Amino acid sequence: MQSPHAFFIQLQAIMKFYTVLLLCFLFNFTQQLSPQDHCACALTNKDKAFPHDTLNSVNDDASKCNQDVTPQKSLEIERLLLGLEHRLPQLLEDVSILEKEDDGDLYGVVSLQVIENELKEIKDHVDRLKRTTQGHQHLSTDSTKQLTNLRAELQDLEMYDTFQVEKKRQDNQRLKRALNECKGEHELDTQPTPPPHGLCPHGRFMNITGPEVFSAGEYPGSFKYGAWGRDPKPEAGKERWYWRVMLTSNNRYANYVRFYSSLSTLVVGVGMPDNVQIHVANPTTNTVQGPNVVLYEKALYYNCYNKDDVCRFNLTSKTVSTLELPKGTRYNSKGNFCHLEECYPYTDIDLATDESGVWVIYSTAENFGNLVLSKVEEGEPPTLGQTWHTSLFKQAVTNTFMACGILYGTRYVDKDTEEIFYSYDTSTGVEKFDIGIFMTKMAPNIYFLNYSPIDRMLYVYSEGNMVSYKVLFE
Ligand SMILES: *[C@@H]1O[C@H](CO)[C@@H](O)[C@H](O)[C@H]1NC(C)=O
Ligand SMILES: *[C@@H]1O[C@H](CO)[C@@H](O)[C@H](O)[C@H]1NC(C)=O
């Protein structure tokens, strides 16, 4: 039997052994965790790393593509073509003058120089046109290639959308669109209220620039009187269409509307094959009298033949409904637009469009031949809405138009300049005679003038030419 002392000594020895063992272990451990080392976790990811570089380069390519391809580029060609169209007849005219008047002497030499200069200008123009079209061809092949690449790269990137974030976002957008469409349909059902007259969503009418478009279109040299423009509320799929009405009988009457599928086809003169006919005869009951007609929501509004009425020709149903103007309304060329030298025949009743719909401007004996303005309510049949009496004598004005519930009047300054000088605000009744906005004309007489709320342009028909100006708002 061991003595308790011996047992104690043995126990001490065992404890010493373990202490040494523990110290040894700790020593080893601290050695392993020396400051140079760190602890590392290996996380295995089954997915490939996200290619940030590819995304960045796709982003860069897309914004470069956006910078390269702009609507201005196609306008450039249109502008150059218009310039050429303007210059060629001028050259022709000058050549024929030279032929007639060449006395083989000084006059002939001078004219020859003029023509040489013109030829040089035309050559410059053609060169620029050539360069621009070549540039466009390159641009369009390059862009197509770039777009195909971008598409492929984006599809590759979509594979990284493992949590389907992007896919869900797209689904959300689709749903949102559907919701909005649904809302839109609902609102259509509940009749939109037009904006109050005079309340202009884009500020005060400040100035105009242009001409932007200048073209005789399909029938150069014919049909001095007429009208043109765009439907502010077009049929779906016809948003880019233009219309033109020409007074084909006696410069006074018209019986059809022509349509063009774009500005380019209008300028180049390629219309839709069929005229939209109001009546086979011209003139007869309900055909167009005078140039101041407008097209609004697939219907043509105009002064109808031999009456003091506004007619509305529904282009869908091909039927005409009429709106009687107040008693004493002057018509049949008694209350025309005029300047000092002449009056414009059959311009008694002027139709206009703006943000809030269709308006009619006329004069009455009751208002001493001064301008009267009425809103046209577009029911079936159309009716006369609110009416305002101005103190501006109609025959002291060359034309009128409406923009944002404000009536504007123009006067003839000289053969190159027309002035927007007058305004009448239907929301306040305030009249101004000092507007002072000047228009550069392409021909002396403006027979038709209207504001188009969809593109905020003034459309002018002037001695067979179609001209447009951009309106600048505050
Ligand atoms: C309108 O624009 C023309 C030319 O762009 C400029 O000469 C004229 O001063 C402007 N008028 C006003 C009232 O701003
Ligand atoms: C034109 O006629 C069509 C078909 O009859 C009709 O749906 C539409 O409301 C009419 N437009 C106007 C402005 O009355």
Coordinates of all heavy atoms in Angstrom, one line a residue, residues 49-80:
A49 N -17.4 34.7 -61.9 CA -17.3 36.0 -61.3 C -18.1 37.0 -62.3 O -18.1 36.8 -63.5 CB -15.9 36.4 -61.2
F50 N -18.7 38.0 -61.7 CA -19.4 39.0 -62.5 C -18.5 39.8 -63.4 O -17.6 40.4 -62.8 CB -20.3 39.9 -61.7 CG -21.2 40.8 -62.5 CD1 -22.3 40.3 -63.1 CD2 -20.8 42.1 -62.8 CE1 -23.1 41.1 -63.9 CE2 -21.5 42.9 -63.6 CZ -22.7 42.4 -64.1
P51 N -18.7 39.9 -64.7 CA -17.7 40.6 -65.5 C -18.0 42.1 -65.6 O -18.6 42.6 -66.5 CB -18.0 40.0 -66.9 CG -19.4 39.5 -66.9 CD -19.7 39.3 -65.4
H52 N -17.5 42.8 -64.5 CA -17.7 44.3 -64.5 C -17.2 45.0 -65.7 O -17.8 45.9 -66.2 CB -17.1 44.8 -63.2 CG -17.9 44.5 -62.0 ND1 -19.0 45.1 -61.6 CD2 -17.7 43.5 -61.1 CE1 -19.5 44.6 -60.5 NE2 -18.7 43.5 -60.2
D53 N -16.0 44.5 -66.2 CA -15.4 45.2 -67.3 C -16.3 45.1 -68.5 O -16.5 46.1 -69.2 CB -14.1 44.5 -67.7 CG -13.1 44.8 -66.6 OD1 -13.4 45.7 -65.7 OD2 -12.0 44.1 -66.6
T54 N -16.9 44.0 -68.8 CA -17.8 43.8 -69.9 C -19.0 44.8 -69.8 O -19.4 45.5 -70.7 CB -18.3 42.4 -70.0 OG1 -17.3 41.5 -69.8 CG2 -18.9 42.1 -71.4
L55 N -19.5 44.8 -68.6 CA -20.7 45.7 -68.4 C -20.3 47.1 -68.7 O -21.0 47.9 -69.4 CB -21.2 45.6 -66.9 CG -22.4 46.5 -66.6 CD1 -23.6 46.1 -67.4 CD2 -22.7 46.5 -65.1
N56 N -19.1 47.6 -68.1 CA -18.7 48.9 -68.4 C -18.5 49.2 -69.9 O -19.0 50.3 -70.4 CB -17.4 49.2 -67.7 CG -17.6 49.4 -66.2 OD1 -18.7 49.7 -65.8 ND2 -16.5 49.3 -65.4
S57 N -17.9 48.3 -70.6 CA -17.7 48.5 -72.0 C -19.0 48.5 -72.8 O -19.2 49.3 -73.7 CB -16.7 47.5 -72.6 OG -17.3 46.4 -73.0
V58 N -20.0 47.7 -72.4 CA -21.3 47.7 -73.0 C -22.0 49.1 -72.8 O -22.5 49.7 -73.7 CB -22.2 46.6 -72.4 CG1 -23.7 46.8 -72.8 CG2 -21.8 45.3 -72.9
N59 N -21.8 49.6 -71.5 CA -22.4 50.9 -71.2 C -21.8 52.0 -72.1 O -22.5 52.8 -72.6 CB -22.0 51.2 -69.7 CG -23.2 51.5 -68.9 OD1 -24.2 51.9 -69.5 ND2 -23.1 51.4 -67.6
D60 N -20.4 52.0 -72.2 CA -19.7 53.0 -73.0 C -20.2 52.9 -74.5 O -20.5 53.9 -75.1 CB -18.2 52.7 -73.0 CG -17.7 53.1 -71.6 OD1 -18.4 53.7 -70.8 OD2 -16.5 52.7 -71.3
D61 N -20.3 51.7 -75.0 CA -20.7 51.5 -76.4 C -22.1 52.1 -76.6 O -22.4 52.7 -77.6 CB -20.7 50.0 -76.8 CG -19.3 49.5 -76.9 OD1 -18.4 50.3 -76.9 OD2 -19.1 48.3 -77.1
A62 N -23.0 51.8 -75.7 CA -24.4 52.2 -75.8 C -24.4 53.7 -75.8 O -25.1 54.3 -76.6 CB -25.2 51.7 -74.7
S63 N -23.7 54.4 -74.9 CA -23.8 55.9 -74.9 C -23.1 56.5 -76.1 O -23.6 57.5 -76.6 CB -23.2 56.5 -73.6 OG -21.9 56.1 -73.5
K64 N -22.1 55.8 -76.7 CA -21.5 56.3 -77.9 C -22.4 56.2 -79.0 O -22.6 57.1 -79.8 CB -20.2 55.5 -78.2 CG -19.3 56.1 -79.2 CD -18.0 55.4 -79.3 CE -17.3 55.7 -80.7 NZ -18.1 55.2 -81.8
C65 N -23.1 55.1 -79.1 CA -24.1 54.9 -80.1 C -25.2 56.0 -80.1 O -25.6 56.5 -81.1 CB -24.8 53.5 -79.9 SG -25.1 52.6 -81.4
N66 N -25.6 56.3 -78.9 CA -26.6 57.4 -78.6 C -26.1 58.7 -79.2 O -26.9 59.5 -79.7 CB -26.9 57.5 -77.2 CG -28.2 56.7 -76.8 OD1 -28.9 56.4 -77.7 ND2 -28.3 56.5 -75.5
Q67 N -24.8 59.0 -78.9 CA -24.3 60.2 -79.4 C -24.2 60.3 -80.9 O -24.4 61.3 -81.5 CB -22.9 60.5 -78.8 CG -22.9 61.0 -77.4 CD -21.6 60.8 -76.7 OE1 -20.6 60.4 -77.3 NE2 -21.6 60.9 -75.4
D68 N -23.8 59.1 -81.5 CA -23.6 59.1 -83.0 C -24.9 59.2 -83.7 O -25.0 59.9 -84.8 CB -22.9 57.8 -83.4 CG -21.5 57.8 -82.9 OD1 -21.0 58.9 -82.5 OD2 -20.8 56.8 -83.0
V69 N -26.0 58.6 -83.2 CA -27.2 58.5 -84.0 C -28.2 59.5 -83.4 O -28.7 59.2 -82.3 CB -27.8 57.1 -84.0 CG1 -29.0 57.0 -84.9 CG2 -26.7 56.1 -84.5
T70 N -28.5 60.6 -84.1 CA -29.4 61.6 -83.5 C -30.4 62.0 -84.6 O -30.1 61.9 -85.8 CB -28.7 62.9 -83.0 OG1 -28.0 63.4 -84.2 CG2 -27.7 62.6 -81.9
P71 N -31.6 62.4 -84.2 CA -32.6 62.8 -85.3 C -32.1 64.0 -86.1 O -32.4 64.2 -87.2 CB -33.8 63.2 -84.5 CG -33.5 62.9 -83.0 CD -32.1 62.5 -82.9
Q72 N -31.2 64.8 -85.5 CA -30.6 66.0 -86.2 C -30.0 65.5 -87.5 O -30.0 66.2 -88.5 CB -29.6 66.7 -85.4 CG -30.2 67.8 -84.5 CD -30.6 67.1 -83.2 OE1 -30.7 65.9 -83.1 NE2 -30.9 67.9 -82.2
K73 N -29.4 64.3 -87.5 CA -28.6 63.9 -88.7 C -29.5 63.7 -89.9 O -29.1 64.1 -91.0 CB -28.0 62.5 -88.4 CG -26.9 62.6 -87.3 CD -25.6 62.2 -87.8 CE -24.5 62.9 -87.0 NZ -23.7 62.1 -86.2
S74 N -30.8 63.2 -89.7 CA -31.6 63.1 -90.8 C -32.2 64.4 -91.3 O -32.5 64.7 -92.4 CB -32.7 62.1 -90.6 OG -33.6 62.5 -89.6
L75 N -32.4 65.3 -90.3 CA -32.9 66.7 -90.6 C -31.9 67.4 -91.5 O -32.2 68.2 -92.4 CB -33.1 67.5 -89.3 CG -34.5 67.3 -88.7 CD1 -34.6 68.1 -87.4 CD2 -35.6 67.6 -89.7
E76 N -30.6 67.1 -91.3 CA -29.5 67.7 -92.0 C -29.7 67.5 -93.5 O -29.7 68.4 -94.3 CB -28.2 67.1 -91.6 CG -27.0 68.0 -91.7 CD -25.8 67.3 -91.1 OE1 -25.9 67.1 -89.9 OE2 -24.9 67.1 -91.8
I77 N -30.0 66.2 -93.9 CA -30.2 65.9 -95.3 C -31.5 66.6 -95.8 O -31.4 67.2 -96.9 CB -30.4 64.4 -95.5 CG1 -29.1 63.7 -95.2 CG2 -31.0 64.1 -96.8 CD1 -29.0 62.3 -95.8
E78 N -32.5 66.6 -95.0 CA -33.7 67.3 -95.5 C -33.5 68.8 -95.7 O -33.9 69.4 -96.7 CB -34.8 67.2 -94.4 CG -36.1 66.6 -94.9 CD -36.9 65.9 -93.8 OE1 -37.2 66.6 -92.8 OE2 -37.2 64.7 -94.0
R79 N -32.6 69.4 -94.8 CA -32.4 70.8 -95.0 C -31.5 71.1 -96.3 O -31.8 72.0 -97.0 CB -31.6 71.3 -93.8 CG -31.8 72.8 -93.5 CD -31.4 73.2 -92.1 NE -30.3 72.4 -91.6 CZ -30.4 71.8 -90.4 NH1 -31.4 71.9 -89.7 NH2 -29.3 71.1 -89.9
L80 N -30.5 70.2 -96.5 CA -29.7 70.4 -97.7 C -30.6 70.2 -99.0 O -30.4 71.0 -99.9 CB -28.6 69.3 -97.7 CG -27.4 69.6 -96.7 CD1 -26.5 68.4 -96.6 CD2 -26.7 70.9 -97.1

